[in-house]
Amino acid sequence: MYNIQTIAPDIVYVGASDRRLAKFENLFPIPRGVSYNSYVILDEKTALMDTADVSVGAQFLENVAAALNGRGLDYLVIDHMEPDHAAMIEAVLLRWPGVQIVCNAKTVPMLKAFFPGDTAAIDAALLVKEGDTLELGKHSLSFVMAPMVHWPEVMMAFDTATGTLFSADAFGTFGALGGSLFADEVNFERDWLDDARRYYANIVGKYGVQVQNVLKKAAGLAIQTIAPLHGPIWRKDLAWFLGKYDLWSRWEAEDKGVVVLYGSLYGNTASAAEAVAAQLGARGVANVKVLDLSVADVSEAVSECWRASTIVLASPTYNGGLYPPVAALLDDLQSLGLQNRTFALIENGSWAPMSARLMSAKLEGLKNCTVLETKLTVRGALNAAQDADVAALADAVAQTVKA
Ligand code: FEO
C-alpha cells in the first residue's frame, strides 16, 4: 500500500522507513531504524527529489507512482549519490523513461560508475551549478552546492515558492519515522537529539568546515522548511536545530559537562572510573554520563564526545598498548578531527601502567585539546589509599566545567 503525505503545498513525501536494518552503513547500530526520505514536487513540471535505499525500494516506487497519480515524471533531482538515496535511480529511469536527471558535474562519474547501463540517460542529464535554477511552474528550485557534506557531489535544492530546503544528509538523523513526519510533532529533544548528534558526529563530523560553509549560504535563504534525507522534517524552531549544527560543525561542545568513557577487562578500571564519576557528582557536576566502551557502541561514545566539553578516558594497559575499545574510540576521534575538548586520564596496569602515556600520544593530534596534568594511575585495583588521588582528579575535572 502506498504511504505518502503532503508536507508543503505541492510537495509530497514519498520516502519510507526501514525498521529491520541492524546497522546503517553496516557499521552504526540503529535500534530505532532509519528513514530514507524522498519528495515529489507536483507543478506544471513534476520533480522527484532523490530516490531511496533498495531495502525500501518497492514501497518507494509505489509511493512515487501514487504521488504522481498517473502523471509523468519530468525531473529526477540527485542531491547525493550515496546508495542509501541513489539505489533506486535505475528503477526510476526504467519506470519513467522520459525523466531527465538533474545533477551537478561531480555527480556524473558516480552515476556512470554505479549505473553503467544507463549511459544515455546520464549523458542527457541537466547539469546545474551553484545558483542555477530549475523552473517547475510556480516552484523554482535554486541549487546550493554542498561539497564534502559528506561526499563531493552533494548539493541542496531550495524551493523559493515554499521556502523548502532539500538539504541532503544535512539535518538528518537515525530513527525510523512514524506517521508524524515533522520534528514539531515528536519530542525531538527527548527522543531524537542523541541520534541526530550520533548521526552528525559519525557521518558528517569530519567535515565541519564544509558544513560551516553551507550554514553561511543557508543564512541567506528564507528557509521555512528543512526537508532532509533522513529523519523528521523541520518547519518550526529551525534556529534551535541550526544552532546545534553550528556548534557541532565548529567542534564546540553542546554542554559544559563531563562524559566518562572506560574500558575494563574485569571491572577494576570500571570501578576507578565510577569512583571519579561519583566524586564529580559529589562536587555538584550535573549530568555526568558514564559509558563502558565494551558495551556501548563506539558511535555512541563519539556522539558523547561531541556533546560534552570534558572527556574522562580510562583504559587498562593491554599487550603493552591500549585496551582495544579505547584505542578504537581514539582512532575515530582522530579521523573525525574532534577539537576544543579537555581530557582527563585514568590508566590501569597491573605491573607496567602505560595507557595514560599512550592515550596522550593519540590525543596529541587533536586540535585545541588539552590533557589535564592530574591523572589517576591504578595498579590492578583502586584502593582506599588512593582516595586523595581520586579526589585530586575529580577536583581538576570539576574545575573544567565550573570555570
Ligand atoms: Fe544518507 Fe550520505 O547518505
Side-chain angles (χ1 to χ4, degrees), residues 24-25 80 82 84-85 150-151 169 199 203 229-230:
F24 186 78
E25 292 186 359
H80 185 20
E82 195 162 8
D84 55 330
H85 311 292
H150 59 135
W151 277 32
D169 276 336
Y199 176 89
I203 291 175
L229 288 175
H230 301 286

Side-chain angles (χ1 to χ4, degrees), residues 27-146:
L27 187 60
F28 305 110
I30 45 169
R32 299 173 58 238
V34 66
S35 76
Y36 303 104
N37 301 346
S38 172
Y39 309 88
V40 164
I41 304 175
L42 299 165
D43 203 340
E44 291 167 30
K45 298 284 189 182
T46 59
L48 174 60
M49 309 304 290
D50 290 293
T51 70
D53 189 82
V54 70
S55 68
V56 297
Q59 179 73 64
F60 161 76
L61 289 175
E62 194 174 352
N63 288 351
V64 176
L68 290 171
N69 194 22
R71 293 186 63 185
L73 182 60
D74 294 303
Y75 299 114
L76 167 58
V77 177
I78 301 172
D79 287 326
H80 185 20
M81 272 301 295
E82 195 162 8
D84 55 330
H85 311 292
M88 298 303 290
I89 287 174
E90 187 166 69
V92 168
L93 295 176
L94 287 168
R95 182 129 176 200
W96 290 279
V99 68
Q100 184 176 27
I101 291 171
V102 180
C103 63
N104 64 72
K106 289 179 188 166
T107 315
V108 173
M110 293 183 178
L111 277 167
K112 288 187 173 172
F114 281 110
F115 304 107
D118 298 307
T119 309
I122 298 166
D123 287 342
L126 175 63
L127 298 187
V128 296
K129 54 188 187 314
E130 180 79 29
D132 283 356
T133 55
L134 178 67
E135 304 300 331
L136 301 176
K138 297 193 295 290
H139 299 262
S140 172
L141 294 176
S142 172
F143 295 98
V144 177
M145 299 300 126

Side-chain angles (χ1 to χ4, degrees), residues 255-260 280 285-290 304 307-312 397-398 400-401:
D255 297 337
K256 202 161 178 63
V258 182
V259 62
V260 178
L280 289 170
V285 179
N287 299 316
V288 177
K289 192 156 178 179
V290 178
E304 281 300 310
R307 180 188 66 80
S309 56
T310 299
I311 299 157
V312 179
V397 171
T400 67
V401 292

